Amino acid sequence: ECAQHRKNLTENPVYKAAMDQAMERSLSTVGPHETGGLLGKSLLVHSSEHYVSEFYDPPAGTPKHRLSGGTAWELQQIENNQATAEYEYSFHTHPFNEGDPVEGVPGATHGAQDWESDNDQKVGERLGLPIVVVTKTDILVYDTAKGIRCKFSR
């Protein structure tokens, strides 16, 4: 299963470009912050685009280590686009370095970036999609319901 996820995420030009663009956004001039979205297949038979990507940036003032509002946004996108897209992955970035201070949390530092949080697992279960975490160097895919956890280089 990990081999298929690797192929889907690194060889599909739409998915790869979306993850690269999300990381670029995450490392923008406003400073490192999480961003993410959805990756899926177009259900429009006559569309020249067979794959789709949707982006989510959290509202201004959101702690940079959180994707506040992301789950509600993803659920809304899935509902709104059910006739035009079948989403395969929920993805978001972890653009920090281990040991970096957590903005707004005195004394806290970021842990390893190639690991999903308990909240990430809950989001995956709620959406019914595998979660993809994109770090500066790696891609992590996990599906708690299926017991799948994969890690490979970007």
Side-chain angles (χ1 to χ4, degrees):
E1 188 123 5
C2 287
Q4 187 61 49
H5 287 303
R6 178 193 307 258
K7 182 177 180 179
N8 289 349
L9 295 166
T10 61
E11 294 180 21
N12 178 317
V14 172
Y15 290 2
K16 184 173 182 341
M19 291 185 295
D20 289 346
Q21 185 177 0
M23 184 55 74
E24 285 176 23
R25 286 181 179 189
S26 289
L27 298 171
S28 70
T29 56
V30 299
H33 64 284
E34 289 192 11
T35 189
L38 293 163
L39 303 171
K41 294 179 182 176
S42 173
L43 298 177
L44 300 175
V45 178
H46 300 293
S47 173
S48 62
E49 297 297 324
H50 299 287
Y51 294 93
V52 296
S53 59
E54 308 285 346
F55 289 100
Y56 176 78
D57 281 312
T62 298
K64 293 182 178 188
H65 64 285
R66 298 195 186 276
L67 203 57
S68 299
T71 304
W73 175 86
E74 287 177 313
L75 288 168
Q76 190 66 50
Q77 290 294 111
I78 290 167
E79 182 180 327
N80 290 348
N81 299 331
Q82 61 187 334
T84 60
E86 179 181 59
Y87 294 107
E88 297 183 300
Y89 298 99
S90 166
F91 77 99
H92 68 279
T93 59
H94 282 182
F96 308 100
N97 295 312
E98 186 171 357
D100 283 352
V102 177
E103 185 177 298
V105 185
T109 58
H110 287 285
Q113 295 298 289
D114 62 346
W115 198 258
E116 70 278 3
S117 69
D118 290 341
N119 187 58
D120 292 340
Q121 292 176 14
K122 290 174 188 168
V123 169
E125 291 169 8
R126 187 164 177 203
L127 295 175
L129 296 173
I131 298 293
V132 175
V133 175
V134 182
T135 74
K136 293 175 184 176
T137 58
D138 297 308
I139 297 171
L140 171 71
V141 181
Y142 63 95
D143 186 334
T144 306
K146 294 181 181 177
I148 298 168
R149 185 173 193 285
C150 313
K151 179 182 171 184
F152 40 89
S153 296
R154 285 183 58 205

